[in-house]
Amino acid sequence: MTFTIKAALLGSAFALASPALAAGTHPETGEKLADDQTFTYRVLDEHTSVDPQIVEDVSGSEIVRDLFEGLYNQDKDGNLVPGVATGYTTNDDKTVYTFTLRDNAKWSDGKPVTAGDFVYAWQRLADPATASEYQWYMEVMNIKNASAVMAGDAPVTDLGVKAIDDHTLEVTLEGSLPYFAKTTTHTSTFPTPKWAIDAHGADWIKPENIVVNGAYKLTEHVANERLVRERNEMYWDNAGTIIDKVVSLVINDENVALTRYQAGELDRTEIPAGQYPALKASNPDEATIFPRLCSYYYTINVSDNAPEFLKDVRVRQALSYAINRDIITEKVLQSGEFPAYTFTPAATAGFEVPSVDYATWTQEERNAKAVELMAEAGYDKSNPLELSLIYNTSEAHKKVAIAVSQMWKQNLGVKVSLENQEWKTFLNTRGEQNYEIARAGWCGDYNEASTFLDLVQSGSGYNDAKYNNAMVDELLAGAKTMDDPQANYTKVEEIIAADMPLIPIYHYSGKFMFQPSIVGSWPIKNVEQNWYSKDLYKVAE
């Protein structure tokens, strides 16, 4: 396909080449650029926030990566490239990281971006008063004293992060964490402007109040409809940025979005479930699929107030075994997804997928075992189990839910009540355990297996099942300081395959339609799919 991302470290080259941009040609390739450098794309739902320490969804994080910049970004292959930081050093045991910040980074109001802005943001993330859904990420990063600060047992000033001077940030860890630098590309670690938050409180993220340090400023937001960001002239690499405006449109129906894409209203949209083969045949240069660092699963409520039947491991196992994942990936979705029997995808760097027992069985064997387990639990087609399954509004989620409910009914006699909910309502329902079984998806915050397995740790903010296993907690804690934690990760996957607090269904593929005017290469090889509008451009048709 044809889609473009510029090299990540060409800031100085682009600054020197600004006359070429003015002349309407690309400074590297000589391509004639379109007069209108606006990138418009579709999102499924309204984002949760554009506050770096509050945002919790993928589409919101995409916006935050345009508005703010952290210590590091990623290139089109997923490699770390400098953001506000130009480099770092560590001590011998890699428990202290010292980052050097660029001296030309500025906020949109002209103030310099300093190490103190990162200290404030990280303390704000860990502070219980912030009530961030991503507070637990401080523990994932292994920041010293994070647990005590998060619990309210220590002041935020005890967090292991401090500004040596305006351009030197020192981070102290509880213990060595080999992949620590990778964790700094996550949006929750991005700096935030204390003075703007102090002045406006929760309203600081409104277009008229927000202060940003990324390549774009927020200029318009109509809830559940559209969000617009435009070039931030104060951004240190503004001269190397070509896209002038980015527009995200909330379109709940993926088929409506495809129609609007075909009418030229969108530059990018998702391919509806089941339509990739036909679209690839009719538009081979526009339809593309590729592996992603994401898992699609059903989370099961096993909290203290969950219904008794969900506390029975035999029921949970039976529900998992009775799902024919091949039918879902090959017949329902048809977009290159991979059947999942473990939570962590094979695309995860350095991870070897363990061979959990039920993954080695035929579907007929899984179905038979599911019937046997249900009977042991006291349920069969003459005495059917009744349960509810919730999912957020999406045609693809609906199709998967219908397929799964039919499999449960046909194989086990289970009667399923399906309910779709608007995104924010759905998040609240799931997060407060007001559900029985719920659709869920997780995309890695960094490329290492712990970004998935930490979700089954008892203290995780996204452990929506409220699953609690002391051995899992112990194995995950031990993995953090191991040079090769694969053995621990294998054991965790085996435990959750036996306990089944969640049902892995498939590992995602990226599946998009791109207009031909966007040329070059979308970061297909970056399974995290951290993309930045500043790296894109449009050519003249």
Side-chain angles (χ1 to χ4, degrees):
M1 66 166 294
T2 58
F3 201 96
T4 300
I5 195 164
K6 68 180 174 63
L9 295 179
L10 292 177
S12 59
F14 272 95
L16 295 172
S18 54
L21 292 180
T25 59
H26 191 283
E28 286 280 300
T29 68
E31 295 164 292
K32 182 173 176 57
L33 297 173
D35 292 333
D36 182 9
Q37 290 292 328
T38 301
F39 177 57
T40 305
Y41 69 100
R42 173 256 183 173
V43 293
L44 171 65
D45 294 297
E46 171 75 3
H47 56 278
T48 51
S49 180
V50 297
D51 183 325
Q53 278 78 63
I54 300 299
V55 66
E56 56 177 312
D57 55 344
V58 172
S59 61
S61 296
E62 292 171 343
I63 297 167
V64 169
R65 279 194 293 272
D66 272 0
L67 300 178
F68 298 88
E69 185 169 71
L71 295 172
Y72 278 88
N73 300 323
Q74 292 179 346
D75 66 13
K76 63 185 179 68
D77 296 321
N79 301 308
L80 290 180
V81 293
V84 176
T86 57
Y88 67 87
T89 59
T90 67
N91 60 350
D92 290 340
D93 61 3
K94 295 185 178 180
T95 56
V96 178
Y97 282 71
T98 304
F99 295 89
T100 300
L101 310 189
R102 62 178 71 252
D103 59 10
N104 59 340
K106 292 183 179 180
W107 292 96
S108 53
D109 63 0
K111 290 183 171 66
V113 178
T114 69
D117 298 326
F118 283 90
V119 172
Y120 169 72
W122 291 21
Q123 290 178 348
R124 181 172 179 251
L125 179 62
D127 190 346
T130 305
S132 171
E133 294 290 347
Y134 255 98
Q135 181 191 60
W136 61 285
Y137 196 70
M138 288 281 95
E139 287 185 320
V140 170
M141 297 176 75
N142 216 22
I143 307 294
K144 187 173 183 180
N145 297 328
S147 297
V149 172
M150 289 163 52
D153 296 331
V156 294
T157 51
D158 281 3
L159 192 69
V161 55
K162 66 178 180 179
I164 303 301
D165 56 44
D166 281 354
H167 300 113
T168 309
L169 179 71
E170 182 181 273
V171 182
T172 303
L173 308 182
E174 291 283 0
S176 177
L177 190 67
Y179 53 86
F180 176 74
K182 291 183 179 181
T183 68
T184 65
T185 64
H186 192 260
T187 52
S188 66
T189 70
F190 291 1
T192 40
K194 183 178 185 300
W195 60 96
I197 296 172
D198 286 346
H200 303 288
D203 289 338
W204 82 275
I205 56 175
K206 290 185 176 181
E208 62 270 24
N209 299 329
I210 195 168
V211 177
V212 299
N213 76 314
Y216 297 88
K217 298 182 294 185
L218 178 62
T219 57
E220 180 185 355
H221 178 214
V222 181
N224 295 302
E225 183 179 328
R226 61 190 279 119
L227 183 140
V228 180
R229 52 253 201 210
E230 300 181 51
R231 289 266 289 271
N232 173 15
E233 295 181 357
M234 289 293 178
Y235 180 59
W236 65 269
D237 192 25
N238 182 52
T241 303
I242 299 178
I243 290 289
D244 292 322
K245 180 189 290 187
V246 186
V247 182
S248 54
L249 299 179
V250 178
I251 307 173
N252 299 131
D253 190 313
E254 58 190 6
N255 291 296
V256 171
L258 178 61
T259 298
R260 294 181 65 174
Y261 168 87
Q262 292 169 331
E265 296 179 35
L266 299 170
D267 295 307
R268 190 203 82 178
T269 193
E270 290 77 6
I271 295 174
Q275 296 191 39
Y276 173 74
L279 289 169
K280 186 63 176 177
S282 62
N283 302 77
D285 292 334
E286 298 176 45
T288 188
I289 58 174
F290 47 87
R292 289 203 60 187
L293 194 67
C294 302
S295 291
Y296 191 105
Y297 63 103
Y298 282 169
T299 182
I300 302 175
N301 184 358
V302 293
S303 67
D304 291 341
N305 60 356
E308 287 301 317
F309 69 85
L310 290 179
K311 296 179 182 179
D312 190 329
V313 68
R314 296 170 299 186
V315 171
R316 301 197 300 271
Q317 289 174 341
L319 293 172
S320 176
Y321 298 165
I323 296 176
N324 189 326
R325 292 152 174 85
D326 291 331
I327 287 179
I328 290 172
T329 57
E330 296 173 13
K331 304 298 183 183
V332 178
L333 300 172
Q334 301 183 58
S335 300
E337 292 82 3
F338 306 90
Y341 301 93
T342 60
F343 190 33
T344 309
T348 307
F351 179 73
E352 296 179 13
V353 178
S355 181
V356 296
D357 285 344
Y358 78 108
T360 66
W361 305 342
T362 65
Q363 188 57 46
E364 289 73 18
E365 290 171 330
R366 284 192 283 268
N367 288 344
K369 186 64 175 178
V371 171
E372 177 186 328
L373 289 167
M374 273 294 198
E376 290 178 6
Y379 301 100
D380 55 28
K381 291 184 179 180
S382 63
N383 179 36
L385 174 68
E386 297 184 14
L387 59 82
S388 64
L389 169 61
I390 66 169
Y391 59 92
N392 55 299
T393 305
S394 158
E395 189 63 27
H397 298 335
K398 180 180 179 180
K399 287 182 177 181
V400 172
I402 290 173
V404 169
S405 65
Q406 289 174 341
M407 292 171 190
W408 285 344
K409 182 177 180 180
Q410 179 179 346
N411 297 323
L412 306 173
V414 175
K415 295 182 179 180
V416 184
S417 172
L418 298 179
E419 179 184 354
N420 72 291
Q421 297 182 349
E422 180 272 331
W423 180 234
K424 289 187 177 180
T425 301
F426 172 77
L427 288 178
N428 288 334
T429 301
R430 196 178 65 186
E432 294 172 359
Q433 289 70 55
N434 292 326
Y435 74 95
E436 293 181 348
I437 299 179
R439 175 263 161 189
W442 188 259
C443 292
D445 293 321
Y446 49 93
N447 197 353
E448 209 272 344
S450 61
T451 192
F452 291 93
L453 296 179
D454 278 345
L455 265 70
V456 293
Q457 191 266 341
S458 60
S460 168
Y462 285 95
N463 183 348
D464 289 325
K466 292 304 175 189
Y467 174 64
N468 191 327
N469 184 299
M471 179 59 71
V472 166
D473 290 351
E474 183 179 333
L475 288 166
L476 291 175
K480 289 190 179 298
T481 57
M482 297 171 69
D483 290 333
D484 182 7
Q486 178 64 44
N488 284 33
Y489 293 155
T490 294
K491 289 178 182 177
V492 172
E493 288 282 7
E494 291 171 345
I495 291 171
I496 60 176
D499 287 353
M500 211 67 76
L502 54 84
I503 301 174
I505 299 178
Y506 65 84
H507 299 306
Y508 284 58
S509 65
K511 38 191 179 291
F512 294 120
M513 297 291 288
F514 290 110
Q515 294 289 0
S517 59
I518 310 288
V519 291
S521 58
W522 185 263
I524 290 173
K525 293 182 180 180
N526 180 1
V527 292
E528 291 178 72
Q529 279 296 285
N530 284 347
W531 58 273
Y532 308 82
S533 297
K534 67 183 179 66
D535 293 335
L536 309 176
Y537 64 89
K538 298 178 76 171
V539 296
E541 297 182 5

